[in-house]
Amino acid sequence: MGDMTNSDFYSKNQRNESSHGGEFGCTMEELRSLMELRGTEAVVKIKETYGDTEAICRRLKTSPVEGLPGTAPDLEKRKQIFGQNFIPPKKPKTFLQLVWEALQDVTLIILEIAAIISLGLSFYHPPGEGNEGCATAQGGAEDEGEAEAGWIEGAAILLSVICVVLVTAFNDWSKEKQFRGLQSRIEQEQKFTVVRAGQVVQIPVAEIVVGDIAQVKYGDLLPADGLFIQGNDLKIDESSLTGESDQVRKSVDKDPMLLSGTHVMEGSGRMVVTAVGVNSQTGIIFTLLGAGGEEEEKKDKKAKQQDGAAAMEMQPLKSAEGGDADDKKKANMHKKEKSVLQGKLTKLAVQIGKAGLVMSAITVIILVLYFTVDTFVVNKKPWLPECTPVYVQYFVKFFIIGVTVLVVAVPEGLPLAVTISLAYSVKKMMKDNNLVRHLDACETMGNATAICSDKTGTLTTNRMTVVQAYVGDVHYKEIPDPSSINAKTMELLVNAIAINSAYTTKILPPEKEGALPRQVGNKTECGLLGFVLDLKQDYEPVRSQMPEEKLYKVYTFNSVRKSMSTVIKLPDESFRMYSKGASEIVLKKCCKILSGAGEPRVFRPRDRDEMVKKVIEPMACDGLRTICVAYRDFPSSPEPDWDNENDILNDLTCICVVGIEDPVRPEVPEAIRKCQRAGITVRMVTGDNINTARAIAIKCGIIHPGEDFLCLEGKEFNRRIRNEKGEIEQERIDKIWPKLRVLARSSPTDKHTLVKGIIDSTHTEQRQVVAVTGDGTNDGPALKKADVGFAMGIAGTDVAKEASDIILTDDNFSSIVKAVMWGRNVYDSISKFLQFQLTVNVVAVIVAFTGACITQDSPLKAVQMLWVNLIMDTFASLALATEPPTETLLLRKPYGRNKPLISRTMMKNILGHAVYQLTLIFTLLFVGEKMFQIDSGRNAPLHSPPSEHYTIIFNTFVMMQLFNEVNARKIHGERNVFDGIFRNPIFCAIVLGTFAIQIVIVQFGGKPFSCSPLQLDQWMWCIFIGLGELVWGQVIATIPTSRLKFLKEAGRLTQKEEIPEEELNEDVEEIDHAERELRRGQILWFRGLNRIQTQIEVVNTFKSGASFQGALRRQSSVTSQSQDVANLSSPSRVSLSNALSSPTSLPPAAAGHPRREGVP
């Protein structure tokens, strides 16, 4: 039934296809309906319809070994008949839609209404116009010409609104475009390995066609649907399609169906592609989503902008750890939605907005009252019906002034500044090898306090070479001479290395003369193959003699086995198994070892201990990774039970132990030193042996000998953090993580536990912000959990990239330092902009308010205000948001989550400059006409021409802002505000540009801008007063901030607001399976109730400040339904009471084991 309806749904698209299908032995429909079957049904269907997978390959005119011929006409034909491997993206929003969205801004709507009313009234000439009886406040005859110009103000307001809207829309549009570009770049970089004309080639995912033979391996994200042809131990995580988190084992005879968007968790193999693009399983889901997604669109709009709903080429529904993809999506959207900065900004904007509203309301009320009292009470004029329109006109004028105050108070430029700053940083970070997938990750990185890094490939070059070996009872400190090794041993060694490694791993000749040979595939295996070549042997003949199809059984490498073994059938029908893996693990399974004469001799446990001491530990202490190569022979009958791994992987004979060096990248020690100076702790989490890990950590500078730090192995770490029941306790993690620097032999879950433990820790006063690097599929959960996940662009698997926030395109640790620098720069740019913006706002609001109340008319007109607002906001945000980062950013500690946006120093600057500007403007307003010997602009009638007096005030105001913009470049009270100003050409261009436009407005702006042209000496005075800002800035910098205790900071995120949100994430993420089976709605309802109760309790407790523990106790009983949170809250209660009773007591760990670094 299922495939019936689905094929109906599609048949209308594919009527014309079936006629083509004749050229190939099967049509697209047939293949599609086949791919919708699972497991045994599919096997039966293949048997009945086609015979076997070979037959399908024949029908698709492809060879399982050679692949497609790869000729252009053939590929074209396949694309026409079976479709391309591309899912068309959702249409981007058109420019007009974006304009419409920008128009929804409340302040803009208020302005539009005001402008329209103003326009309407200016065209309406009431009959009582000339009536002497009507009050004209502060009299003054009106020229006829002036009455005509009444419409200008309304039109100008509308014009400026249009400007604001267009700028915003254009910004959104370019952001969207940039994101699409970024997305398509990610897609083009995604390549997949296929066999064409007998050659293994990598092609972009979009180029894959039906009939291609694709090679799949551990860590791949399958780009199309296909049938499994041959391979070993292939296990797939299909949770992204089915929601079942168990790994599915694939085999030709049981379950050959490989589906697009699923993850390869183990093993390798080949598949023949049967469905691509919209016809693959993921594609079908995407198409259905596209069809049903229209209504959802509106709801998801906000979430989408962040995720960039550009076509992720064949990306699965995002979910790395299994479980319901949808559920995960919701949980993550909640988590990623608001970054720290956005939270602080929203809060600040609301605070400012409220203040602005109050001010504007008061302004309007005062103006109206003054007018009515003056007209009807003092002058005792009657209200004449024919005068009503005149009065209404006055009221409208007052309303416009009120709105102007509001407009000036609200910093519309804030969102603009944030967007520009982030977009600019993201663009520039591309050059620094950081490909940012989520915009806010860039800013979160500036707050990072801890980095958990992998060792291989990130801190090291990931170019493995064997530098020491132990063969035939001799420990060679460099590569041995081939003649010194017994011939039999040599043959075994070459076979063991050549056969027991992925055949995709090769060493190719260098690209350039004199360069190093290229290593392709698994780097450790490349190191071993390189060892074979160094011994003057060749691995190619061995491989061609024993091709991949002939391998009898393969136990692939995974994080549990820590070894890889391959079984082959010898000519005499007996079996031989070659094994290689981590030396301490493989040696435990050896009971013999090859002697110098190439004969096996007994290898007892005490020999093993001696070998560990004499060979393995010295190698590990040189920072080498030790690998043991071994083999075992089995009789032909009875054939061993290959599935019983424990018996098979035992009684091995050790051939040799090699030490592989992976040199530390030359730039890493310096990068780590920078991190430590910037207050970021670097921890190394690796699967390597603890001695190797410690040696590398010392080389990198993660640990310095003689410091108090911990190096633990995964086992020991788990022993220390779990209680008697084997549950993880947050309190135990808190004792370990502050000193932990190296976690060796760790499993992916250990990494996730550590990251989660550090993030959830309440041990420090600031919540830790953790960045994690990862490249393997198994790092997915840790990358998702971290605040910022870095995936490796070169060595990283698709799964890791999918779970990450930033992709390091050069796999280099020092790029992370660049990311920190950019992140801090974003934060600083926004603070700079705020400092500038708020000075403008404070001054403009106070001037408009007092001016309106004292002289009934704001000295700064609506259009002038808008010009100030527009330029100052839009351009200043551009100028200040594009400051390039400097190394000095790395000299300070990270800002915490509850550090306010506007620090005391900034508050000092804002108020200091406001005082200077207000003093001068009021001086000009009340005695300016005497200073300049000009007519006073105060008390002008309604439509009087613009006065020089008010023009001077406006001009001075703008000049002061311009020079204050230079002051705003520094926010930490530095003296030299011009430092590095020429490194930012945008800034210089904008300051000069604004100045030029200002000259044009004043000299030629005329009536619309309420300006009258000024003489040169008046201009000089304006500029001189503006320059005073720079001098005044130095004066302010001299006042010590520490004296000004009374200054409040603003825009701080308090702990109180954060906790519920964090807790909510945990709850959503940690629901266990049993609970999932229950009805979701019910749980959420109960949980909602409980949470409200708890919050009320907490609030009350805070009010009374009394039984704090009572609230916590209640908390723990409430959340006990979600076990994880219960584990967190009960220990935290204990720790609180301890802390309250003895403020100075050391945590038991610190007292108990003063130094545990020596523990292996």
Side-chain angles (χ1 to χ4, degrees):
M1 173 65 203
D3 34 44
M4 248 323 287
T5 52
N6 242 344
S7 41
D8 284 352
F9 173 58
Y10 276 91
S11 55
K12 55 177 180 288
N13 307 353
Q14 264 87 38
R15 292 253 159 76
N16 52 350
E17 310 293 21
S18 38
S19 55
H20 285 299
E23 304 177 24
F24 296 102
C26 26
T27 62
M28 189 158 77
E29 266 83 87
E30 288 167 19
L31 289 174
R32 265 240 338 261
S33 57
L34 171 65
M35 290 319 290
E36 274 165 8
L37 302 173
R38 303 275 181 274
T40 39
E41 293 175 49
V43 177
V44 174
K45 172 95 183 203
I46 292 172
K47 273 218 175 67
E48 286 172 2
T49 322
Y50 304 102
D52 59 356
T53 41
E54 297 276 321
I56 294 184
C57 289
R58 280 198 298 282
R59 286 192 182 199
L60 288 174
K61 301 189 181 161
T62 179
S63 131
V65 185
E66 297 285 309
L68 291 177
T71 56
D74 177 53
L75 296 177
E76 260 318 298
K77 200 161 68 182
R78 287 174 193 271
K79 279 185 186 169
Q80 269 172 353
I81 295 176
F82 297 111
Q84 295 185 334
N85 194 21
F86 173 71
I87 294 176
K90 262 220 189 89
K91 280 211 223 28
K93 288 206 181 92
T94 58
F95 189 70
L96 286 175
Q97 278 170 307
L98 291 169
V99 167
W100 177 242
E101 273 176 28
L103 276 170
Q104 311 294 317
D105 188 63
V106 186
T107 12
L108 290 183
I109 294 173
I110 297 177
L111 271 181
E112 286 153 32
I113 294 170
I116 290 165
I117 295 176
S118 166
L119 273 178
L121 283 169
S122 69
F123 289 126
Y124 168 57
H125 288 297
E129 184 73 63
N131 190 335
E132 288 307 311
C134 302
T136 42
Q138 288 92 34
E142 253 187 41
D143 294 353
E144 273 310 295
E146 297 307 330
E148 304 306 293
W151 59 273
I152 294 183
E153 193 155 324
I157 294 180
L158 279 182
L159 193 72
S160 49
V161 167
I162 292 170
C163 282
V164 174
V165 169
L166 289 178
V167 168
T168 320
F170 179 74
N171 226 5
D172 286 347
W173 179 76
S174 57
K175 180 169 119 190
E176 173 90 349
K177 196 162 150 256
Q178 240 178 350
F179 202 93
R180 301 233 156 194
L182 198 90
Q183 213 62 30
S184 62
R185 202 186 125 177
I186 295 179
E187 280 153 21
Q188 282 150 12
E189 282 182 352
Q190 205 181 359
K191 295 236 191 332
F192 209 79
T193 317
V194 297
V195 181
R196 284 199 179 162
Q199 291 291 313
V200 177
V201 289
Q202 284 213 327
I203 58 169
V205 170
E207 297 295 314
I208 293 176
V209 293
V210 171
D212 257 325
I213 303 295
Q215 291 194 341
V216 297
K217 59 181 190 311
Y218 161 77
D220 280 345
L221 188 94
L222 298 183
D225 292 355
L227 295 172
F228 186 55
I229 311 175
Q230 119 342 276
N232 35 63
D233 237 14
L234 192 66
K235 285 192 187 154
I236 305 262
D237 168 14
E238 293 188 348
S239 59
S240 56
L241 284 180
T242 60
E244 296 296 320
S245 51
D246 299 338
Q247 292 175 14
V248 186
R249 197 180 189 134
K250 298 291 175 186
S251 61
V252 180
D253 44 359
K254 296 225 175 54
D255 182 2
M257 315 306 275
L258 298 175
L259 306 171
S260 60
T262 56
H263 298 147
V264 183
M265 301 309 277
E266 222 177 276
S268 59
R270 288 179 164 180
M271 70 170 186
V272 55
V273 176
T274 53
V276 293
V278 278
N279 302 303
S280 66
Q281 292 304 301
T282 311
I284 291 171
I285 292 176
F286 264 120
T287 323
L288 290 172
L289 281 179
E294 298 307 310
E295 303 85 57
E296 287 292 308
E297 271 257 56
K298 297 182 183 63
K299 292 182 213 158
D300 282 6
K301 219 182 269 169
K302 292 284 177 288
K304 280 290 187 298
Q305 283 172 353
Q306 301 222 332
D307 273 8
M312 296 289 268
E313 186 111 11
M314 297 298 311
Q315 298 290 23
L317 298 171
K318 303 227 171 51
S319 154
E321 305 115 291
D324 261 359
D326 272 353
D327 245 45
K328 265 284 164 343
K329 239 172 161 169
K330 284 183 194 126
N332 277 341
M333 248 149 54
H334 175 82
K335 179 180 149 192
K336 291 275 184 222
E337 203 69 271
K338 259 198 180 171
S339 65
V340 188
L341 183 66
Q342 280 166 325
K344 290 179 180 178
L345 280 175
T346 322
K347 228 185 131 188
L348 193 69
V350 169
Q351 287 170 349
I352 296 174
K354 279 182 186 158
L357 259 176
V358 172
M359 292 288 281
S360 62
I362 295 175
T363 313
V364 174
I365 292 167
I366 288 181
L367 284 172
V368 171
L369 280 176
Y370 190 98
F371 176 75
T372 43
V373 169
D374 189 55
T375 312
F376 302 119
V377 180
V378 181
N379 296 339
K380 301 198 174 55
K381 296 221 171 159
W383 179 295
L384 301 170
E386 63 267 26
C387 289
T388 309
V390 182
Y391 295 146
V392 171
Q393 221 165 347
Y394 270 109
F395 290 141
V396 170
K397 182 182 160 189
F398 297 151
F399 178 64
I400 289 182
I401 292 175
V403 173
T404 316
V405 173
L406 175 64
V407 172
V408 175
V410 179
E412 297 86 40
L414 259 188
L416 200 66
V418 179
T419 316
I420 293 178
S421 188
L422 283 174
Y424 171 77
S425 304
V426 167
K427 210 168 175 150
K428 286 278 192 263
M429 280 168 82
M430 291 285 260
K431 293 201 177 83
D432 284 339
N433 305 310
N434 285 300
L435 199 152
V436 182
R437 294 187 56 217
H438 298 133
L439 271 185
D440 50 1
C442 161
E443 167 260 314
T444 314
M445 204 48 220
N447 284 324
T449 54
I451 297 175
C452 296
S453 170
D454 273 2
K455 176 178 81 70
T456 313
T458 316
L459 300 173
T460 58
T461 54
N462 203 8
R463 206 196 146 79
M464 310 277 190
T465 38
V466 174
V467 288
Q468 295 189 19
Y470 179 88
V471 192
D473 295 340
V474 189
H475 182 175
Y476 296 95
K477 290 285 187 176
E478 56 246 13
I479 302 290
D481 188 69
S483 57
S484 64
I485 296 177
N486 179 289
K488 270 199 298 198
T489 310
M490 182 66 98
E491 192 198 358
L492 270 170
L493 179 63
V494 173
N495 278 341
I497 290 176
I499 293 172
N500 183 29
S501 56
Y503 278 35
T504 49
T505 304
K506 304 187 194 60
I507 292 197
L508 302 176
E511 285 176 342
K512 291 197 280 291
E513 279 294 309
L516 294 165
R518 278 184 301 158
Q519 298 187 338
V520 182
N522 181 316
K523 296 296 190 271
T524 312
E525 291 179 349
C526 286
L528 290 166
L529 292 174
F531 179 53
V532 171
L533 297 175
D534 288 342
L535 292 172
K536 309 282 185 282
Q537 306 293 319
D538 193 4
Y539 62 88
E540 283 297 345
V542 182
R543 283 188 174 178
S544 48
Q545 212 177 334
M546 173 61 68
E548 204 168 0
E549 297 79 62
K550 280 201 192 160
L551 300 181
Y552 196 79
K553 169 97 181 122
V554 178
Y555 299 95
T556 50
F557 180 89
N558 63 27
S559 54
V560 181
R561 285 193 194 116
K562 296 263 192 219
S563 68
M564 169 179 178
S565 312
T566 306
V567 181
I568 57 170
K569 212 170 190 171
L570 297 173
D572 63 355
E573 292 294 307
S574 67
F575 301 99
R576 171 171 290 172
M577 177 179 76
Y578 293 116
S579 212
K580 68 163 191 289
S583 56
E584 57 257 58
I585 291 169
V586 178
L587 277 178
K588 280 198 183 109
K589 297 175 177 163
C590 290
C591 63
K592 298 197 186 75
I593 187 167
L594 291 182
S595 65
E599 294 303 325
R601 62 175 169 77
V602 180
F603 184 61
R604 293 183 298 276
R606 68 155 183 268
D607 300 332
R608 187 174 73 229
D609 295 341
E610 186 167 343
M611 181 150 166
V612 167
K613 266 204 202 68
K614 294 265 170 67
V615 180
I616 292 172
E617 281 189 356
M619 280 188 188
C621 291
D622 290 344
L624 303 184
R625 181 183 246 184
T626 54
I627 301 279
C628 174
V629 184
Y631 78 101
R632 175 182 179 185
D633 287 328
F634 296 99
S636 53
S637 64
E639 184 172 331
D641 170 15
W642 298 115
D643 288 337
N644 186 349
E645 268 185 57
N646 294 344
D647 293 357
I648 301 287
L649 293 179
N650 231 328
D651 299 337
L652 306 176
T653 307
C654 170
I655 305 174
C656 72
V657 173
V658 294
I660 297 186
E661 182 184 42
D662 181 6
V664 172
R665 286 173 178 263
E667 61 280 350
V668 162
E670 173 59 20
I672 286 182
R673 205 161 58 246
K674 279 184 190 162
C675 280
Q676 288 162 343
R677 204 169 52 216
I680 302 170
T681 313
V682 183
R683 295 183 173 80
M684 180 161 102
V685 184
T686 172
D688 244 344
N689 164 320
I690 189 151
N691 293 323
T692 312
R694 190 185 283 125
I696 299 266
I698 290 173
K699 279 186 193 166
C700 292
I702 291 178
I703 52 183
H704 304 287
E707 278 183 2
D708 180 16
F709 55 78
L710 285 174
C711 294
L712 296 179
E713 274 194 339
K715 278 203 192 100
E716 168 71 2
F717 173 68
N718 271 310
R719 196 182 58 67
R720 289 197 188 186
I721 61 171
R722 292 174 191 277
N723 59 15
E724 296 70 53
K725 295 187 206 143
E727 294 163 346
I728 298 173
E729 284 193 358
Q730 182 63 39
E731 193 169 74
R732 291 172 182 241
I733 299 183
D734 283 349
K735 287 176 188 165
I736 291 178
W737 72 258
K739 287 190 178 174
L740 184 68
R741 290 293 175 274
V742 176
L743 186 58
R745 282 272 173 260
S746 68
S747 67
T749 37
D750 294 342
K751 191 171 187 174
H752 182 249
T753 310
L754 176 68
V755 172
K756 187 174 177 317
I758 297 180
I759 288 180
D760 294 347
S761 169
T762 48
H763 181 80
T764 46
E765 73 271 27
Q766 303 276 358
R767 152 160 144 39
Q768 295 277 313
V769 178
V770 184
V772 169
T773 68
D775 50 6
T777 305
N778 45 19
D779 292 328
L783 288 171
K784 257 198 152 60
K785 178 71 201 162
D787 294 291
V788 183
F790 285 93
M792 300 297 139
I794 304 167
T797 56
D798 299 342
V799 185
K801 290 179 188 171
E802 186 51 30
S804 69
D805 300 302
I806 297 181
I807 297 174
L808 294 179
T809 48
D810 63 346
D811 288 14
N812 192 335
F813 187 84
S814 57
S815 302
I816 298 179
V817 181
K818 292 259 174 53
V820 173
M821 216 153 85
W822 276 108
R824 293 185 170 190
N825 193 47
V826 167
Y827 198 100
D828 276 11
S829 298
I830 286 162
S831 294
K832 285 171 191 172
F833 171 71
L834 269 175
Q835 176 178 309
F836 170 73
Q837 171 71 45
L838 291 179
T839 315
V840 179
N841 285 5
V842 170
V843 175
V845 167
I846 294 177
V847 167
F849 175 73
T850 46
C853 297
I854 297 170
T855 65
Q856 265 76 91
D857 181 11
S858 166
L860 298 173
K861 299 289 183 290
V863 186
Q864 297 175 348
M865 286 281 202
L866 281 167
W867 156 241
V868 168
N869 230 10
L870 244 183
I871 39 150
M872 296 306 172
D873 278 18
T874 321
F875 291 144
S877 60
L878 248 177
L880 292 167
T882 50
E883 288 273 315
T886 54
E887 290 282 331
T888 47
L889 287 169
L890 293 175
L891 298 177
R892 62 172 173 77
K893 298 274 177 280
Y895 293 142
R897 284 188 154 242
N898 32 15
K899 160 117 172 38
L901 253 180
I902 299 178
S903 61
R904 279 233 172 94
T905 314
M906 286 168 62
M907 210 45 142
K908 176 183 79 177
N909 291 346
I910 292 171
L911 295 178
H913 286 293
V915 168
Y916 173 82
Q917 297 182 10
L918 285 170
T919 316
L920 283 165
I921 284 178
F922 283 134
T923 310
L924 286 176
L925 179 59
F926 294 114
V927 293
E929 70 271 26
K930 296 195 187 75
M931 286 162 49
F932 288 105
Q933 275 102 45
I934 46 178
D935 294 339
S936 164
R938 294 195 301 280
N939 306 342
L942 191 56
H943 291 298
S944 56
S947 65
E948 282 186 5
H949 183 191
Y950 274 17
T951 310
I952 290 179
I953 293 177
F954 166 58
N955 200 16
T956 310
F957 180 62
V958 173
M959 287 303 127
M960 292 199 282
Q961 301 322 329
L962 267 183
F963 287 105
N964 195 26
E965 200 166 327
V966 180
N967 275 333
R969 291 183 66 248
K970 298 283 178 261
I971 48 174
H972 298 299
E974 294 93 331
R975 285 275 175 189
N976 181 4
V977 288
F978 292 103
D979 178 35
I981 194 162
F982 295 115
R983 278 216 313 278
N984 187 358
I986 301 181
F987 184 87
C988 305
I990 281 176
V991 172
L992 294 172
T994 315
F995 186 63
I997 300 175
Q998 176 65 18
I999 293 178
V1000 174
I1001 286 181
V1002 171
Q1003 297 306 89
F1004 310 107
K1007 181 72 188 174
F1009 278 100
S1010 321
C1011 286
S1012 77
L1014 299 179
Q1015 272 110 37
L1016 190 64
D1017 61 327
Q1018 291 166 336
W1019 264 103
M1020 283 305 150
W1021 274 106
C1022 292
I1023 295 174
F1024 173 71
I1025 294 174
L1027 277 168
E1029 270 290 320
L1030 295 174
V1031 183
W1032 184 247
Q1034 296 301 318
V1035 176
I1036 294 178
T1038 328
I1039 306 170
T1041 314
S1042 49
R1043 290 284 169 79
L1044 307 171
K1045 287 278 183 290
F1046 61 89
L1047 286 184
K1048 287 276 184 294
E1049 302 132 331
R1052 126 180 294 171
L1053 268 188
T1054 47
Q1055 236 31 69
K1056 218 157 133 188
E1057 285 153 44
E1058 252 188 359
I1059 295 169
E1061 203 166 284
E1062 294 295 327
E1063 220 176 76
L1064 213 126
N1065 292 336
E1066 293 309 333
D1067 279 15
V1068 183
E1069 281 177 21
E1070 312 287 348
I1071 301 178
D1072 59 349
H1073 284 282
E1075 218 175 297
R1076 229 187 233 136
E1077 307 314 321
L1078 282 162
R1079 290 208 308 284
R1080 277 225 176 74
Q1082 196 183 347
I1083 296 169
L1084 292 174
W1085 166 244
F1086 279 132
R1087 193 173 286 144
L1089 265 179
N1090 278 337
R1091 179 160 299 115
I1092 292 168
Q1093 288 169 348
T1094 313
Q1095 279 172 358
I1096 293 171
E1097 287 240 337
V1098 170
V1099 172
N1100 291 341
T1101 321
F1102 272 121
K1103 277 184 192 155
S1104 61
S1107 58
F1108 185 48
Q1109 290 148 344
L1112 268 172
R1113 234 164 253 147
R1114 161 116 186 81
Q1115 176 81 351
S1116 68
S1117 65
V1118 170
T1119 37
S1120 60
Q1121 10 161 316
S1122 152
Q1123 286 140 3
D1124 221 66
V1125 180
N1127 292 348
L1128 292 184
S1129 60
S1130 39
S1132 65
R1133 188 177 70 224
V1134 183
S1135 63
L1136 248 169
S1137 43
N1138 293 347
L1140 293 174
S1141 58
S1142 57
T1144 52
S1145 66
L1146 278 168
H1153 334 284
R1155 302 284 296 276
R1156 286 298 295 264
E1157 48 154 311
V1159 182

